[in-house]
Amino acid sequence: MLTSPLARRLARGVALTLLCGGPAYAQSPPPAPAPASGTASGTASASTETAVPQNAAAGPTQPPSGPQQIQQGAPGGVRSSPAVTPPPSPYKPLFFENDFSGYVGKPPYIFGEDFKLVTLSECPTVTLTAGGQVRHRMHSEDNRLRPDGETATSYQLLRNRNYVDLKTEYVRAYVESINAYNAGSEIDELIIDENRWDLLNAFVDFHLYDVAGGAGTFRVGRQEILYGDQHLLSPLDWSNTRRNFEGYKFIHQADDWRLDLFSLNPVNGAAGSRGFDVNSFDEDDEDKPLWGAWLNRKLAGGASADLFYIGQDREAPRSRTGARIPSVRSADGLRHLVGGRLSGTVPVTSGLGCDGGCDGGGGKVVRTWDYDVQGGYQFGDDDGEDVSAAFFNAAGGHTWNSLAWKPRVGALFYYGSGDDDPNDGENNTFYTYYPLAHAYWGIIDNLNGQNLLDYALFASVKPTDKLSVTGGYHLFRKDSGSDFLYNVAQVGLGPRNAGTDIGNELDVVANYQATPNLGFQLGYAHFWYGDFAEDNFAQASDDGEFVYFQTTFNY
């Protein structure tokens, strides 16, 4: 006897499938769930690295969590206003959120669109979409803060992703493979560089209900996650392997708001799974569970707000005897985070009856202000110490839409707390979970947002509709001189009580989107090490440098 609502719903779906369901079922299946509240939604090709809110370059589609988007690898997640942004790309940071509804059968032709939204059956409605990506990056670095002490290397990264997406009204099945490898590295390969012939995503969605202006979906299986501006939860597209998780998610999507509830375990090395092997089939790490809730609400005037809770029970690396490794300082225990975010744009228009600008009611957008403010408090237990930590981020900028090259200038401040006293029984080091560090704390990837102060300025121009160039300058300091410096892998390096001056970094990134399928990216970073780094790391005896050239082809 079918007593639960889910069982009855699934039984009804099976019956409708067998009996063709009637006109409403056959002709108008509900849309797939929108991207997770706060997914960087919007406009850029997945050939650009996603980051923060996205209106300047890459992101999932459907309702954005906020009005802006960030370029993959663009220093500091530099934004541009919606008026500057070209039409949304069908390729999104999460490929299971790709949206080809505005492209298939319409000019210009998109390579591979013949395999998008293919109708397999009209009674019941069954559609099939298939595609993927090939990405290549030439990568050269010198004097980067690697924990192994190596100083210079040049190598190539190549990855291939392929997916199949099968949808009916009540059930959706999505599978995506990945083959990522490193070629020519002169030093030890990073765990985020390789994952040979594995499953990146493999999940099933069950459409539970569609009532009172809201739809409910239950997702089970292997899946990537992306929330907010990716300061906390990101698939890390910069990584050659991307992060993935396994478990459950419930999504309620309404017109102006979305709620996600999730319970997941990390799977591959990029997500921190301890049993990961590049040549073996990935399995989830049940000893590092991640769970949480994320609520996104669209507000009046183009603003967007997020409220979130994230929890994780995480064990730090230990020796064979079970003792914590003294040289490795990382989160160890149960941590909870509560926080929120507010972001938006304020366009300035000019038109008939306006003297320099209007607040609305028509007219041409000549300038745009953008803003993004968020923060959170973290509590729990870390290796027997009470946790009391916090983070705060504030960014803003101004775009001159009516000028040639549409210039934008902006500024950013980031604070991630450090531990003031290692002997007081309280841990104040903020743990960043799974961030897109590459877009925020310098593209050379020396740092993570733990025990960190970042003061940054940015400028960007758009010489053509296809070309954008962004530059950023960071001043990095430790929040607490009594705590470690934390590298991009969230590992504490260097002695305590040895100063706070980490250094300064210059980043320049150029993106050229030749076609909706094909994109190129060139990046350069220079790091001037400060007194703390020079005194404690051999790599910091000279300046750090990093250059890369990336080609991405989606199909």
Side-chain angles (χ1 to χ4, degrees):
M1 182 175 180
L2 300 176
T3 57
S4 72
L6 175 58
R8 291 195 299 270
R9 185 74 172 173
L10 293 177
R12 179 170 175 261
V14 172
L16 287 172
T17 300
L18 294 175
L19 298 175
C20 295
Y25 172 75
Q27 296 173 13
S28 56
S37 57
T39 61
S41 347
T43 60
S45 159
S47 67
T48 58
E49 168 99 14
T50 67
V52 194
Q54 302 203 18
N55 264 4
T61 44
Q62 293 162 356
S65 72
Q68 310 190 358
Q69 300 180 338
I70 287 192
Q71 296 178 348
Q72 154 180 336
V78 176
R79 303 158 178 80
S80 67
S81 74
V84 178
T85 305
S89 166
Y91 303 101
K92 309 306 172 186
L94 303 176
F95 271 8
F96 52 80
E97 292 174 351
N98 284 352
D99 182 9
F100 295 94
S101 59
Y103 286 84
V104 174
K106 302 176 183 178
Y109 174 82
I110 301 295
F111 180 83
E113 72 173 44
D114 307 275
F115 300 97
K116 307 299 187 290
L117 305 178
V118 178
T119 300
L120 300 182
S121 170
E122 293 184 356
C123 182
T125 301
V126 181
T127 61
L128 175 70
T129 295
Q133 178 190 85
V134 175
R135 192 179 80 173
H136 173 264
R137 182 160 77 232
M138 293 185 291
H139 180 116
S140 180
E141 64 181 63
D142 192 14
N143 295 325
R144 182 179 160 203
L145 292 182
R146 286 176 176 256
D148 53 19
E150 300 285 359
T151 60
T153 185
S154 295
Y155 55 93
Q156 300 182 62
L157 295 170
L158 183 66
R159 81 177 183 202
N160 176 232
R161 299 160 60 191
N162 291 281
Y163 68 87
V164 175
D165 190 6
L166 186 67
K167 294 181 181 178
T168 70
E169 180 180 5
Y170 293 103
V171 181
R172 174 195 187 188
Y174 181 90
V175 177
E176 181 179 343
S177 67
I178 187 169
N179 183 30
Y181 57 94
N182 175 314
S185 179
E186 300 160 5
I187 61 178
D188 291 341
E189 298 170 354
L190 298 176
I191 197 170
I192 65 173
D193 285 348
E194 288 203 325
N195 193 5
R196 305 307 300 270
W197 298 111
D198 221 305
L199 286 178
L200 185 62
N201 290 281
F203 63 80
V204 176
D205 280 349
F206 298 99
H207 179 61
L208 303 180
Y209 59 84
D210 191 353
V211 294
T217 301
F218 180 71
R219 177 171 297 166
V220 56
R222 185 167 300 186
Q223 55 197 277
E224 298 174 293
I225 56 174
L226 189 162
Y227 287 98
D229 63 0
Q230 302 187 68
H231 259 104
L232 300 167
L233 297 174
S234 169
L236 190 60
D237 188 57
W238 174 253
S239 155
N240 205 37
T241 56
R242 297 175 60 100
R243 297 187 183 111
N244 62 351
F245 300 81
E246 199 162 289
Y248 309 94
K249 179 185 290 188
F250 169 77
I251 305 165
H252 178 87
Q253 177 70 59
D255 290 339
D256 295 325
W257 63 278
R258 170 169 169 155
L259 173 66
D260 281 32
L261 306 174
F262 54 89
S263 177
L264 304 162
N265 297 322
V267 173
N268 63 12
S273 177
R274 290 172 295 180
F276 172 73
D277 186 300
V278 297
N279 296 309
S280 300
F281 185 75
D282 298 344
E283 297 182 2
D284 65 319
D285 187 347
E286 297 180 355
D287 294 329
K288 298 175 70 174
L290 174 77
W291 62 92
W294 200 287
L295 174 66
N296 170 254
R297 173 78 179 185
K298 290 187 289 184
L299 306 175
S304 178
D306 293 310
L307 294 174
F308 50 83
Y309 160 77
I310 303 172
Q312 186 172 33
D313 194 353
R314 187 178 191 274
E315 184 174 331
R318 296 181 180 274
S319 68
R320 292 182 178 180
T321 63
R324 187 165 180 167
I325 302 174
S327 62
V328 177
R329 171 71 175 181
S330 59
D332 182 22
L334 176 61
R335 287 182 178 241
H336 308 273
L337 173 69
V338 291
R341 172 177 172 238
L342 179 66
S343 62
T345 58
V346 181
V348 179
T349 60
S350 177
L352 183 65
C354 297
D355 183 15
C358 295
D359 293 330
K364 180 181 178 181
V365 176
V366 294
R367 295 182 288 116
T368 304
W369 293 94
D370 61 76
Y371 60 91
D372 194 323
V373 180
Q374 70 174 327
Y377 176 72
Q378 197 169 67
F379 57 96
D381 177 86
D382 190 305
D383 200 26
E385 296 182 318
D386 293 333
V387 173
S388 180
F391 87 101
F392 175 77
N393 182 80
H398 187 267
T399 303
W400 286 266
N401 309 76
S402 60
L403 296 183
W405 292 21
K406 300 176 176 60
R408 177 193 182 272
V409 296
L412 175 149
F413 169 72
Y414 172 83
Y415 159 77
S417 63
D419 196 13
D420 295 326
D421 185 349
N423 301 310
D424 64 356
E426 183 175 86
N427 189 317
N428 309 119
T429 306
F430 178 69
Y431 170 57
T432 52
Y433 297 98
Y434 299 96
L436 181 56
H438 181 80
Y440 290 111
W441 304 304
I443 68 170
I444 200 171
D445 288 322
N446 268 338
L447 304 171
N448 196 278
Q450 302 177 185
N451 189 31
L452 184 68
L453 298 175
D454 179 12
Y455 308 86
L457 296 173
F458 303 97
S460 63
V461 292
K462 197 172 179 63
T464 72
D465 289 339
K466 296 182 177 182
L467 175 65
S468 63
V469 181
T470 299
Y473 187 81
H474 297 262
L475 186 154
F476 293 117
R477 298 293 184 266
K478 293 199 300 179
D479 172 57
S480 171
S482 301
D483 201 349
F484 296 101
L485 175 151
Y486 292 83
N487 72 358
V488 70
Q490 299 171 321
V491 175
L493 304 176
R496 299 178 186 267
N497 302 313
T500 61
D501 185 5
I502 302 171
N504 304 333
E505 180 173 342
L506 172 67
D507 297 331
V508 180
V509 174
N511 281 289
Y512 183 75
Q513 195 65 39
T515 71
N517 297 95
L518 180 63
F520 303 93
Q521 187 173 110
L522 176 66
Y524 172 78
H526 192 102
F527 202 105
W528 293 270
Y529 289 105
D531 292 340
F532 169 78
E534 288 180 346
D535 293 343
N536 295 288
F537 307 112
Q539 304 99 311
S541 59
D542 201 355
D543 294 349
E545 284 194 306
F546 171 53
V547 62
Y548 70 91
F549 180 72
Q550 180 170 285
T551 303
T552 307
F553 182 72
N554 297 313
Y555 50 86

